[in-house]
Amino acid sequence: MSERDLLITAAKAADDKKAEDIIVLNMKGISLVADYFMICHGNSDKQVQAIAREIKEKVEENGYEVKRMEGFDEAKWVLVDLGDVVAHIFHRDERSYYNLERLWGDAPTENIVNELNS
């Protein structure tokens, strides 16, 4: 599975659990941490946890390992480290506070809408 396939798998899993405002930042050449940041949010603690759980299950079903998951119990900002892809799942209120899109404003966004609908 390529890093792009991993990204789409994670994004589809988030979308399946009704994650809102899914944005992908292309971090190549900007961050040494990962090639892609996927950012989304849920409207409740339970939804944030459901999104994170679904991402973990779907990527593992496709033969990838989750390097680590942080923040799951608090469900305010769950970070799912998939290696080349890092998924940031926020509670709605926390997302606007941390505003990663602005923090990494020099990173181009990736259009994944077509892949989500396929």
Side-chain angles (χ1 to χ4, degrees), residues 8-74:
I8 298 305
T9 300
K12 282 184 176 182
D15 190 53
D16 286 348
K17 292 299 177 182
K18 307 297 185 219
E20 295 192 14
D21 199 16
I22 300 171
I23 292 177
V24 175
L25 301 178
N26 185 327
M27 302 302 289
K28 293 178 183 176
I30 296 171
S31 172
L32 299 175
V33 175
D35 289 338
Y36 296 102
F37 281 178
M38 186 191 81
I39 305 166
C40 64
H41 71 268
N43 292 312
S44 69
D45 293 358
K46 295 289 185 199
Q47 185 183 17
V48 169
Q49 289 174 331
I51 294 165
R53 193 177 301 112
E54 186 74 3
I55 290 171
K56 180 181 187 303
E57 288 174 9
K58 293 300 181 190
V59 299
E60 287 176 345
E61 282 175 16
N62 284 285
Y64 258 86
E65 76 172 276
V66 174
K67 307 277 186 224
R68 74 174 172 246
M69 186 183 300
E70 297 180 11
F72 184 83
D73 292 336
E74 297 83 10

Side-chain angles (χ1 to χ4, degrees), residues 71-110:
F72 184 83
D73 292 336
E74 297 83 10
K76 300 300 178 197
W77 177 0
V78 180
L79 183 141
V80 183
D81 182 353
L82 305 170
D84 292 330
V85 176
V86 175
H88 299 270
I89 305 125
F90 286 96
H91 192 284
R92 180 185 60 242
D93 301 334
E94 301 296 312
R95 183 173 185 173
S96 60
Y97 177 79
Y98 287 102
N99 199 354
L100 291 187
E101 296 93 322
R102 186 178 54 81
L103 178 65
W104 294 102
D106 53 342
T109 57
E110 292 281 317

